Amino acid sequence: MITGRLFVGGKASDEQVDPSDAGDVLARDDAFLWLDAVDPTDEDLAVLEATFGLHPLTIEDVKHRHQRPKVEIFQDYAFVVLRPIELTDGSMIEKELHAFVGRRFIVTLRPSPVCDMTEIASRWERQPELLREGGGYAIYVLIDEVVDDYLSAVERFEDDIDELEDEVFADEEQDGRDTGEVRDVQQHLFQLKREVVRLRRFAMPVRQGLDLIQERPEIATPPLGPYFRDVMDHVIRVVELADNIRDLLTSLLEVRVAQAANRLNNIMKRVTSWGAVILVPTLVAGIYGMNFRNMPEIGWRFGYPMALLTMFGAAASVWWFFRRKDWL
């Protein structure tokens, strides 16, 4: 179902608008029309195509979910695809938003999971003097809200990476963590890196799309120039911070690999040291266990105690040597 809302002179109007009559409404110089559809049907898209003269390829893109964020410029409108996000305690939920924006109209299509348009509509109403600029201000607010959510996600990722740094560099023996807890840290690292890469993949095309929008003076009018430059700065910041976080996560993963190799090396040193300690008594016992006839110590009264003392002394010497090198 398509709902319509009319703004006259930049201010919200109570006048009811039928989507099929949008052409007559847009003929008025002081009118700005917002049409919104949640999970639009093929019939809804057919009405919009006929009303605004939308290109069939854009309609095809709307029907296919999980589109890459982009901006496509046509003669009378711009087609914008955004990927809003929602932060939860456990993950980042990605959504999808399609918009057709012209000089005096904007059409938003919101497939499930639906992104909230309440704050966006509220900002349109609070700035009637800017909304009189038309679709340029409407699409600016839309992009700005999405990018602000990106910045919020980046801030949360920065907090998460600070905690992960403390966990990665903590002394595992002192903090009492077992193997399962160490594995959880690695899993969190991989999960966070995957979300950062997703966020960057959403934000990077927005930067390119803003360049295209600013090349259309009928959409990005001169009074809106500072606003588009501001949101462009925010997008660049998101991309740069995402790159920094991704590099830090890569470094932390490399540290984890180095720590695992170091732990394995310490285990091998301990095993090797104990093997050397056991080897010397085994060697002595093996020599006297050959039972040759002409072995002088066999008939010696103190041969057995001397052999035991030799084995113990040799083992203690090897143990002390490796202990001194901190291998044991």
Side-chain angles (χ1 to χ4, degrees):
M1 178 180 179
I2 303 176
T3 59
R5 191 169 185 182
L6 182 64
F7 295 84
V8 179
K11 298 180 180 180
S13 172
D14 295 332
E15 182 179 347
Q16 299 295 322
V17 179
D18 188 275
S20 59
D21 298 331
D24 297 333
V25 175
L26 295 178
R28 298 160 52 180
D29 293 336
D30 60 347
F32 178 77
L33 180 62
W34 171 34
L35 296 181
D36 180 60
V38 175
D39 290 327
T41 63
D42 291 343
E43 292 76 12
D44 294 335
L45 295 177
V47 170
L48 294 175
E49 183 179 7
T51 302
F52 296 98
L54 303 179
H55 197 283
L57 289 178
T58 61
I59 299 298
E60 182 180 349
D61 286 344
V62 172
K63 292 179 179 180
H64 292 82
R65 294 290 308 277
H66 307 295
Q67 289 288 324
R68 176 180 180 270
K70 62 181 178 179
V71 173
E72 294 181 353
I73 302 297
F74 293 86
Q75 182 175 355
D76 298 321
Y77 67 94
F79 175 53
V80 181
V81 179
L82 297 173
R83 300 300 295 271
I85 61 172
E86 179 182 349
L87 296 177
T88 63
D89 294 336
S91 62
M92 181 179 72
I93 301 176
E94 60 181 84
K95 303 179 181 180
E96 193 167 353
L97 174 63
H98 298 174
F100 299 98
V101 56
R103 179 66 183 86
R104 291 198 300 274
F105 72 89
I106 186 169
V107 179
T108 54
L109 308 173
R110 297 180 290 159
S112 299
V114 180
C115 63
D116 188 14
M117 295 283 292
T118 304
E119 179 59 26
I120 295 172
S122 178
R123 286 182 62 180
W124 290 344
E125 294 178 2
R126 291 198 302 265
Q127 298 288 338
E129 67 280 1
L130 291 174
L131 192 58
R132 282 195 291 267
E133 296 294 328
Y137 179 70
I139 197 63
Y140 153 73
V141 173
L142 206 63
I143 296 175
D144 188 55
E145 285 294 322
V146 172
V147 173
D148 284 348
D149 289 339
Y150 291 170
L151 285 172
S152 299
V154 167
E155 292 175 358
R156 196 191 76 172
F157 292 157
E158 288 177 334
D159 293 338
D160 289 346
I161 200 173
D162 288 339
E163 296 178 1
L164 285 172
E165 283 181 349
D166 295 338
E167 293 183 13
V168 166
F169 291 105
D171 187 349
E172 297 179 8
E173 294 182 358
Q174 291 182 358
D175 63 19
R177 290 182 301 171
D178 57 18
T179 304
E181 291 175 308
V182 174
R183 191 181 300 113
D184 289 340
V185 174
Q186 295 175 343
Q187 183 178 359
H188 195 181
L189 281 170
F190 280 109
Q191 179 182 358
L192 185 58
K193 185 173 182 179
R194 183 170 60 249
E195 291 186 348
V196 170
V197 171
R198 286 168 55 202
L199 180 65
R200 188 186 186 280
R201 190 170 65 246
F202 296 160
M204 193 63 189
V206 177
R207 177 180 178 180
Q208 302 166 356
L210 285 170
D211 288 332
L212 294 175
I213 291 176
Q214 292 181 86
E215 293 175 359
R216 297 298 297 266
E218 69 275 12
I219 297 178
T221 59
L224 297 177
Y227 295 93
F228 280 104
R229 288 193 295 270
D230 179 70
V231 73
M232 173 70 81
D233 180 69
H234 291 174
V235 172
I236 293 174
R237 183 183 175 193
V238 169
V239 173
E240 290 178 347
L241 290 175
D243 287 338
N244 293 338
I245 294 174
R246 183 178 60 179
D247 291 341
L248 285 173
L249 289 172
T250 300
S251 299
L252 287 177
L253 287 171
E254 292 174 351
V255 169
R256 295 300 297 169
V257 173
Q259 287 177 337
N262 186 55
R263 285 195 297 270
L264 179 60
N265 185 46
N266 289 335
I267 293 172
M268 291 303 299
K269 287 194 299 184
R270 286 183 172 85
V271 172
T272 302
S273 300
W274 282 113
V277 170
I278 297 173
L279 176 63
V280 176
T282 304
L283 176 63
V284 175
I287 291 175
Y288 286 100
M290 292 186 293
N291 294 323
F292 286 111
R293 185 181 300 275
N294 296 320
M295 294 182 70
E297 294 83 358
I298 296 296
W300 185 32
R301 179 180 178 182
F302 299 102
Y304 177 66
M306 182 59 67
L308 292 178
L309 182 62
T310 301
M311 288 188 288
F312 177 78
S317 299
V318 175
W319 178 88
W320 176 83
F321 174 78
F322 286 116
R323 184 72 174 179
R324 184 179 179 185
K325 288 184 171 293
D326 198 27
W327 283 32
L328 287 173

